[in-house]
Amino acid sequence: MMNQSPLYLQIKQYISDKIESAQWPVGHRIPTELELTEQFKVSRMTVNKAVRDLVAEGKLQRKPRLGTFVCTSDDKAESPLLDIQNIAEEVKVRGKIYSSKVLQQIALRADDSVATKLGVMLNSPVFYSEIIHLEDDLPIQYELRWVNSVYAPGYLDQDFTQITPNEYLSDNCPLNAIEHTVEAIAACDHVRSALKMGLNEPCLLLNRRTWSDNRLVSSALLYHPGTRYKLSSKVILS
């Protein structure tokens, strides 16, 4: 007999129990949403919400045209912490499909916060972009970036669905220094929605500033869903 909790939570618990009991091991393709809809006699929307939550929590992984599979933490996307790499290339190297959604790409005047980020005078002209990076249609990074317009004058002319800001800046403002700060945060509703995260899912925030020829060129906030993304580093000690 089913309990009185919301139907989508009952379905979510059913799937979680199958995974945790190893009846559905890593790599197992779970029933389709249509099959679960018929099994539980509920709407497709109800099933979809249960599955989306489990994808956001890192327990399931959608594979376009193949289905939804049980996954492990080893399936997390990964970036090097002590280096800067093009996220599009990282995704492709993992054998996944990269895509992006450009939400904003505008010129603005630096307020106090932005002036501090970029080391420019208040009201200086700067460029701003807001982009969601996806792996197999699932968001893995939400990028907010401010760029010094003096050092990257062609920034707003770029099609960031075809190249990434990192790729453009690396080609036009060769990197000579980076600054990274990483923290675990409770994501606000806006970030959680952009990354399709669960309500209590942890979020990794990478605060990055980059210099070229000792000039501060870019400052970025990079948000990642903690259950689907990890940062790593390797230090060789002599």
Side-chain angles (χ1 to χ4, degrees), residues 11-237:
I11 297 169
K12 180 179 174 182
Q13 187 62 53
Y14 168 81
I15 297 172
S16 294
D17 289 345
K18 291 287 189 181
I19 294 171
E20 291 167 9
S21 67
Q23 293 181 62
W24 291 355
V26 172
H28 176 83
R29 184 174 69 82
I30 73 167
T32 66
E33 289 187 5
L34 180 59
E35 289 170 337
L36 289 170
T37 294
E38 294 174 347
Q39 177 179 347
F40 287 96
K41 303 293 189 284
V42 295
S43 71
R44 182 75 172 268
M45 185 180 301
T46 299
V47 171
N48 180 262
K49 178 167 176 52
V51 172
R52 275 194 292 112
D53 277 8
L54 289 168
V55 168
E57 292 171 13
K59 293 182 178 180
L60 296 177
Q61 180 183 37
R62 295 186 191 272
K63 296 184 179 181
R65 297 178 296 279
L66 295 177
T68 302
F69 296 79
V70 178
C71 63
T72 176
S73 59
D74 291 340
D75 294 320
K76 286 184 180 181
E78 180 176 359
S79 286
L81 181 57
L82 300 182
D83 195 5
I84 293 181
Q85 293 186 10
N86 182 1
I87 191 168
E89 290 304 315
E90 290 179 16
V91 171
K92 292 172 184 175
V93 165
R94 290 192 288 270
K96 310 292 186 179
I97 299 173
Y98 170 80
S99 60
S100 64
K101 296 178 181 178
V102 179
L103 304 183
Q104 289 196 70
Q105 190 174 347
I106 59 175
L108 48 77
R109 294 283 175 176
D111 59 15
D112 286 337
S113 174
V114 173
T116 301
K117 289 178 188 292
L118 283 178
V120 298
M121 298 292 291
L122 189 66
N123 291 320
S124 295
V126 300
F127 298 145
Y128 173 73
S129 59
E130 195 170 316
I131 300 171
I132 300 174
H133 301 278
L134 304 99
E135 180 177 285
D136 285 351
D137 293 326
L138 191 64
I140 56 169
Q141 185 184 92
Y142 180 30
E143 172 188 324
L144 283 60
R145 185 182 296 272
W146 295 264
V147 175
N148 190 318
S149 60
V150 174
Y151 304 138
Y155 191 80
L156 293 187
D157 298 326
Q158 307 309 305
D159 181 355
F160 288 132
T161 64
Q162 299 301 312
I163 65 170
T164 65
N166 170 274
E167 185 178 356
Y168 169 75
L169 292 173
S170 296
D171 289 344
N172 291 272
C173 306
L175 176 74
N176 80 313
I178 61 175
E179 175 187 89
H180 279 160
T181 303
V182 181
E183 57 183 319
I185 66 168
C188 66
D189 290 343
H190 178 67
V191 170
R192 195 165 59 243
S193 175
L195 290 172
K196 297 184 178 179
M197 294 170 56
L199 182 60
N200 297 313
E201 184 176 359
C203 181
L204 289 176
L205 171 58
L206 173 60
N207 191 329
R208 172 187 292 163
R209 296 201 296 174
T210 58
W211 284 259
S212 179
D213 292 332
N214 297 313
R215 303 173 304 185
L216 181 51
V217 174
S218 170
S219 177
L221 297 176
L222 308 172
Y223 297 88
H224 310 87
T227 58
R228 282 179 267 133
Y229 205 89
K230 60 183 176 181
L231 297 163
S232 65
S233 64
K234 180 179 181 181
V235 178
I236 298 176
L237 303 175

